[in-house]
Amino acid sequence: MSELGLQFGRSMLAHWHLRPDITYLNHGTVGATPKAVLAAQQALQIECESAPANFMARQVTDSLGMCHGESRLRHAAREVGAFVGAAPHRLAFVRNVTSGINAVLQSLQFAAGDEILVTSLGYGAVTYGAQHVAARAGARVVTAELPFPPPNALAVVDAIVAALTPRTRLLIVDHVTSETALVMPIADIAAACRSRGVLTLVDGAHAPGAIPLDIEALGVDFYAANLHKWAMVPRSAGILWCAQAHLTNIHPTVISWGLGHGFTKEFDWEGTVDPTAYLASAAALAFLRELDVAKMQAYNHQLVVDAQRMFAQRWSHHDAAGAPPLVPAALLGTMVTLPLPRALGAGADAALALRDSLWFDDAIEVPIMAIGDRLWMRLCGQVYVEPADFEQLANAIERRL
Ligand SMILES: Cc1ncc(COP(=O)(O)O)c(C=O)c1O
């Protein structure tokens, strides 16, 4: 039971605008904002429209020199900072994790021959960002091949350490990998990098709200994340945290009035944008507290751990050669990526066709990926999901075999 007094499961859909006729198993790709949080954002937008210049220039930001007292963005940063374990003066809002990562990449100076290490399980668009800055500097992007599924966390750390060289300047690593849904041992990875003089930039797109998070304790240099996935904040809302030593060197990708006035002033005004998603983080955090964050995370985790077991048992006879090993529960958060029966085909076209067909014919939204020589699906737990949703998915897929 949640603090809302409701049993988690489909009845929780009453708190979302999600259509009741669809089965939404993809909170990870595009998070769904709860009704109460969206209403709070809309109230903020109306408040802004009632006195726009006063709201935007005097209240929201202190970057324009017109704010009296604490700005509303700084207030929101304090509240979000308490939730993710980040000191507010080291924490800024960004539109999304992509822009936070790009801000770091474009602020760092790379030299010819330098290496930026990414992983084979990293997010493609982030790797493109690394390739872009590397190419300009004559640096190289190197990929650490990570095992999937890994037998344990140590195997992940070892694979990353094995790919470090004396030229490695920066490691970019996901806290929770996107397609493969692994929770990475970030503190151990960061310690290994630190001892070799390598900076660590964490892509925490799927971390806030999904897993317990204490950014300051991780020992990393930079941490960018999304709030608009698992922290229930409306789009577009992300964060960027920098260790103290880097604060004066990191600038937003869009330079505006704050330049030279410190990290938070630079990020708190990137030109005129709608700040209401950031300000609605208070309502999102209140919603999470009502759900009870620890209970929500435990429920979501158990959903996907049980689903992994259920699918493995149900489809074991489809893999004459033996199915890939299960992902250890310790490496799972609120998502799990599972192999599909080989009879469903392989390759990107087959993945897209199955994904579309599940949506258009069965109203099930679930990502299907081509990894290696077979198809996989990623399942998301969420408080509005229940085991029957995964049974429905299993039945729908079996009808295609
Ligand atoms: C690991 C990872 N990094 C980055 C992103 C990009 O997020 P956004 O488009 O909100 O910047 C995603 C999106 O799912 C992701 O899974």
Side-chain angles (χ1 to χ4, degrees), residues 101-115:
I101 287 171
N102 274 275
V104 173
L105 284 171
Q106 294 184 24
S107 299
L108 295 176
Q109 306 288 327
F110 295 97
D114 281 352
E115 292 174 1

Side-chain angles (χ1 to χ4, degrees), residues 175 203 242 253 355:
H175 201 161
D203 174 348
C242 294
T253 48
R355 181 180 179 159

Side-chain angles (χ1 to χ4, degrees), residues 223-235:
Y223 195 104
N226 278 330
L227 300 175
H228 56 216
K229 292 183 188 285
W230 300 91
M232 311 277 188
V233 177
R235 284 172 297 281

